[in-house]
């Protein structure tokens, strides 16, 4: 069993301190901010000790069998809101209406898995009825920011020949702009209905919920001739679990507890480019 430890900033001393707890047969320097402890004796008690110590040291700790390679994978599929980007777009749109607290409350409950996603989206979008569609452009220009490490991660996987999919319970207004900006291969999201320059409070067509997200990943895999096990899937909320569950590597990024518990990898401190330290390339 191997353990990859990684952090941000000046973290060499912290990495060495936590690595020593594992009594590894070998320690490999993966990058300036990551170590791979090889041949550790895995026990539940040791894992608990490491996880507590790593959390206190603000390091991400990922257990892996052997060394995995980037070329094992052919697709990176990502959720958008709070994964590829730092915001929840619908919450920021609602802020333009003075309704952010009400919408954010529904968003949080849905992401924790306490509400059905489709129903929660309908309720949130309904609150936006009458809003000028120009508010969407303002959110994109003024508030939308890529998550830490997103561009470096994408450049690396694209250079390695992997395809990219952005699959979101958010909106096509944002996914299509990000597709062009970042050179993504595939996108899938919800389309807001706009009439006479204003939001109607409705979504056009099928709502992209957890099942549709999973089906989209499967469809793209089939279209490019690969198995879902050759996909890396990243997300943060409960509606990402189904698509994460069919992947070869599931990555919980700044995720809700229910997602961290079920993912292969949890990145709580490092950026999205943290996956590169897990994969030889």
């Amino acid at each position: 069993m191997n353990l990859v430890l990684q952090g941000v900033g000046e973290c060499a001393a912290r990495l060495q301190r936590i690595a020593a707890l594992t009594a590894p047969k070998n320690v490999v320097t993966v990058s300036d901010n990551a170590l791979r402890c090889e041949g550790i004796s895995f026990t539940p008690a040791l894992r608990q000790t490491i996880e507590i110590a790593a959390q206190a040291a603000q390091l991400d700790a990922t257990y892996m069998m052997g060394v995995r390679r980037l070329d094992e994978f052919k697709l990176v599929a990502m959720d958008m809101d709070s994964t590829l980007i730092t915001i929840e777009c619908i919450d920021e749109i609602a802020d333009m209406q003075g309704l952010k607290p009400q919408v954010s409350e529904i968003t949080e409950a849905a992401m924790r898995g306490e509400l059905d996603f489709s129903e929660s989206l309908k309720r949130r979008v309904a609150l936006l009825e009458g809003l000028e569609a120009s508010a969407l452009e303002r959110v994109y220009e003024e508030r939308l920011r890529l998550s830490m490490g997103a561009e470096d991660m994408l450049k690396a996987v694209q250079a390695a020949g992997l395809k990219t999919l952005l699959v979101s319970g958010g909106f096509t207004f944002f996914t299509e702009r990000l597709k062009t900006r970042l050179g993504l291969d595939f996108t899938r999201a919800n389309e807001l209905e706009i009439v006479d320059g204003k939001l109607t409070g409705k979504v056009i067509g099928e709502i992209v919920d957890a099942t549709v997200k999973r089906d989209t990943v499967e469809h793209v895999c089939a279209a490019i001739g690969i198995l879902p096990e050759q996909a890396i899937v990243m997300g943060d909320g409960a509606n990402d679990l189904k698509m994460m569950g069919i992947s070869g590597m599931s990555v919980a990024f700044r995720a809700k507890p229910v997602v961290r518990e079920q993912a292969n990898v949890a990145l709580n401190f490092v950026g999205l480019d943290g996956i590169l330290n897990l994969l030889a390339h």
Side-chain angles (χ1 to χ4, degrees):
M1 178 73 76
N2 295 336
L3 173 69
V4 177
L5 297 166
Q6 54 181 323
V8 295
E10 295 293 327
C11 59
R14 286 177 283 145
L15 289 169
Q16 293 289 350
R17 186 171 72 250
I18 306 304
L21 297 175
T22 69
K25 292 180 179 178
N26 187 37
V27 177
V28 176
T29 300
V30 178
S31 69
D32 290 341
N33 64 344
L35 296 176
R36 184 171 65 244
C37 305
E38 299 181 339
I40 66 173
S41 299
F42 178 83
T43 66
L46 176 62
R47 179 167 189 157
Q48 184 176 26
T49 298
I50 296 300
E51 288 182 350
I52 292 171
Q55 180 76 19
Q58 295 193 316
L59 300 176
D60 287 318
T62 305
Y63 289 89
M64 304 184 74
M65 293 298 295
V67 177
R68 303 201 69 177
R69 296 185 54 81
L70 184 58
D71 61 15
E72 293 177 39
F73 299 97
K74 304 300 179 185
L75 174 72
V76 173
M78 303 156 285
D79 173 50
M80 180 174 68
D81 297 72
S82 298
T83 302
L84 182 64
I85 64 175
T86 61
I87 62 170
E88 290 286 332
C89 289
I90 193 167
D91 294 358
E92 301 307 318
I93 298 167
D95 198 29
M96 303 290 180
Q97 286 279 69
L99 292 169
K100 188 172 182 178
Q102 297 94 309
V103 170
S104 294
E105 185 178 350
I106 300 171
T107 300
E108 281 294 308
M111 298 305 279
R112 291 192 301 266
E114 297 168 5
L115 278 179
D116 172 74
F117 181 82
S118 294
E119 184 58 36
S120 76
L121 185 71
K122 290 176 185 176
R123 286 170 54 185
R124 286 177 287 169
V125 170
L127 292 170
L128 305 179
E129 182 181 0
L131 180 66
E132 294 286 343
S134 59
L136 303 178
E137 188 66 37
R138 284 185 57 201
V139 169
Y140 181 80
E141 292 293 341
E142 299 173 16
R143 303 191 182 188
L144 186 148
R145 298 291 181 270
L146 296 177
S147 293
M148 181 170 66
E151 287 186 280
D152 287 342
M153 180 274 292
L154 285 170
K155 286 176 183 175
V157 301
Q158 288 167 336
L162 280 72
K163 299 296 185 181
T164 50
L165 163 65
L166 183 59
V167 56
S168 173
F171 306 115
T172 56
F173 182 92
F174 302 102
T175 58
E176 290 308 303
R177 281 160 176 75
L178 288 168
K179 181 180 184 180
T180 300
R181 173 177 167 185
L182 300 171
L184 306 177
D185 296 295
F186 307 95
T187 61
R188 178 74 187 272
N190 297 298
E191 184 177 358
L192 289 168
E193 185 178 61
I194 299 172
V195 175
D196 296 329
K198 294 185 178 182
L199 303 186
T200 66
K202 297 177 182 177
V203 172
I204 298 173
E206 183 179 37
I207 287 178
V208 181
D209 60 8
T211 299
V212 173
K213 282 189 166 190
R214 181 198 63 204
D215 293 348
T216 300
V217 172
E218 289 179 334
H219 175 77
V220 169
C221 286
I224 63 177
I226 68 168
L227 298 171
E229 300 90 82
Q230 293 172 283
I232 298 169
V233 178
M234 305 173 169
D236 72 297
N239 64 320
D240 298 317
L241 285 171
K242 286 186 178 181
M243 69 172 181
M244 291 169 70
I246 63 171
S247 69
M249 177 180 284
S250 56
V251 180
F253 183 73
R254 307 290 191 274
K256 301 296 183 287
V258 66
V259 182
R260 292 199 304 268
E261 289 163 9
Q262 295 184 45
N264 303 132
V265 178
L267 301 180
N268 303 315
F269 301 107
V270 302
L272 286 172
D273 55 343
I275 67 163
L276 303 176
N277 287 322
L278 305 176
L279 300 165
H281 55 282

